[in-house]
């Protein structure tokens, strides 16, 4: 069964450093998402991406964040200058055709900013 | 602004019995609802969904009920199995805004 994959599983970085989190969505999916979950809190929407552009973003997704689909398979989230409060689990998700709204999630990347 | 609420942080159920997980929402524009299951250190796994034009959807042991007038949905698991022990999240989406708005989750514990 096709699945969303994410790398790395755990990333430790120092405050102020840039990080790139990588995702490979399900191959025939058209919609891509990033969510995050700070320990003990709700899952929060960051950004959605369709047709090579951002379709929606939350207040969390400020100028420090960017997304890219550099080729036909990868979907990346970049944080330019990490802050302590960026420490969280980051989940990538993808969705197929517009008729179905189920999003399928990867296993997540645990980002720890020290 | 909690648009999706799961008021029970945890629920303990005997194996073989019915598990009922509840979810309330405040945004009347939500028109699609989903349940996800999550194990520690894994991503959420999609379980079952329901459109607002329906009041029930069933898939094997899982049934979701939607009461639009009460802005309430529930997930029934029958019979409950040990492997069902996980955190269950309710999520909702609104029309063209396909982002998912999440509840806080309910930890389900199935006792042998």
């Amino acid at each position: 069964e096709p699945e969303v994959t994410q790398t790395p599983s755990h990333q430790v970085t120092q405050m102020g450093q840039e990080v790139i989190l990588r995702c490979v969505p399900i191959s025939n999916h058209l919609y891509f998402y990033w969510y995050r979950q700070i320990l003990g809190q709700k899952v929060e929407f960051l950004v959605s991406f369709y047709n090579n552009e951002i379709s929606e973003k939350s207040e969390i997704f400020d100028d420090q964040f960017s997304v890219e689909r550099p080729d036909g398979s990868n979907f990346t989230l970049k944080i330019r200058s990490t802050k302590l409060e960026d420490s969280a689990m980051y989940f990538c998700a993808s969705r197929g055709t517009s008729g179905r709204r189920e999003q399928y999630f990867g296993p997540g990347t645990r980002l720890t900013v020290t | 602004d909690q648009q999706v609420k799961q008021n029970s942080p945890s629920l303990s159920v005997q194996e073989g019995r019915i598990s009922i997980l509840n979810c309330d929402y405040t945004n009347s524009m939500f028109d699609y609802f989903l349940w996800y299951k999550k194990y520690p250190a894994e991503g959420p796994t999609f379980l079952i969904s329901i459109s607002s034009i329906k009041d029930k959807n069933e898939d094997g042991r899982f049934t979701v009920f939607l009461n639009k007038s009460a802005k309430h949905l529930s997930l029934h698991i029958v019979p409950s199995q040990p492997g069902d022990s996980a955190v269950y999240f309710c999520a909702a989406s609104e029309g063209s805004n396909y982002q998912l708005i999440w509840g806080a989750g309910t930890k389900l514990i199935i006792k042998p």
Side-chain angles (χ1 to χ4, degrees), chain B:
Chain B
D1 177 22
Q2 293 189 62
Q3 297 187 69
V4 178
K5 301 178 192 177
Q6 293 177 258
N7 292 319
S8 299
S10 66
L11 175 67
S12 186
V13 174
Q14 202 75 35
E15 180 180 357
R17 307 293 285 268
I18 183 172
S19 294
I20 300 176
L21 297 115
N22 294 303
C23 178
D24 298 295
Y25 61 96
T26 56
N27 187 345
S28 58
M29 299 301 290
F30 286 147
D31 60 354
Y32 203 85
F33 304 89
L34 308 92
W35 284 95
Y36 284 83
K37 172 182 178 179
K38 187 178 180 304
Y39 294 118
E42 294 185 13
T45 300
F46 169 71
L47 277 177
I48 192 168
S49 61
I50 187 166
S51 162
S52 61
I53 63 174
K54 296 186 174 182
D55 54 20
K56 178 182 174 182
N57 189 26
E58 195 170 352
D59 184 2
R61 296 186 299 114
F62 301 93
T63 303
V64 56
F65 296 91
L66 176 62
N67 181 335
K68 282 184 294 183
S69 60
K71 295 192 178 68
H72 176 83
L73 63 156
S74 60
L75 174 69
H76 292 209
I77 306 173
V78 183
S80 300
Q81 299 174 353
D84 296 331
S85 294
V87 178
Y88 288 78
F89 291 94
C90 169
S93 72
E94 172 192 339
S96 60
N97 296 337
Y98 289 152
Q99 66 166 286
L100 297 181
I101 307 297
W102 296 73
T106 297
K107 183 175 183 178
L108 177 64
I109 301 163
I110 305 300
K111 299 179 292 185

Side-chain angles (χ1 to χ4, degrees), chain A residues 30 32 49-54 68-71:
Chain A
L30 302 175
F32 313 111
F49 192 86
Y50 170 71
N51 200 25
N52 282 319
E53 60 182 22
I54 291 174
E68 193 178 30
R69 189 155 161 82
D71 52 43

Side-chain angles (χ1 to χ4, degrees), chain A residues 16-71:
Chain A
Q17 295 296 304
E18 175 183 287
V19 294
I20 298 176
L21 310 184
R22 303 179 192 280
C23 170
V24 179
I26 294 173
S27 62
N28 61 346
H29 282 187
L30 302 175
Y31 300 82
F32 313 111
Y33 306 84
W34 283 101
Y35 291 84
R36 77 174 187 190
Q37 185 180 28
I38 295 171
L39 187 64
Q41 297 186 23
K42 284 188 178 185
V43 177
E44 299 173 292
F45 168 76
L46 293 177
V47 66
S48 60
F49 192 86
Y50 170 71
N51 200 25
N52 282 319
E53 60 182 22
I54 291 174
S55 48
E56 192 177 15
K57 60 183 181 179
S58 72
E59 292 177 355
I60 302 167
F61 194 88
D62 61 21
D63 292 344
Q64 293 301 311
F65 291 85
S66 62
V67 289
E68 193 178 30
R69 189 155 161 82
D71 52 43

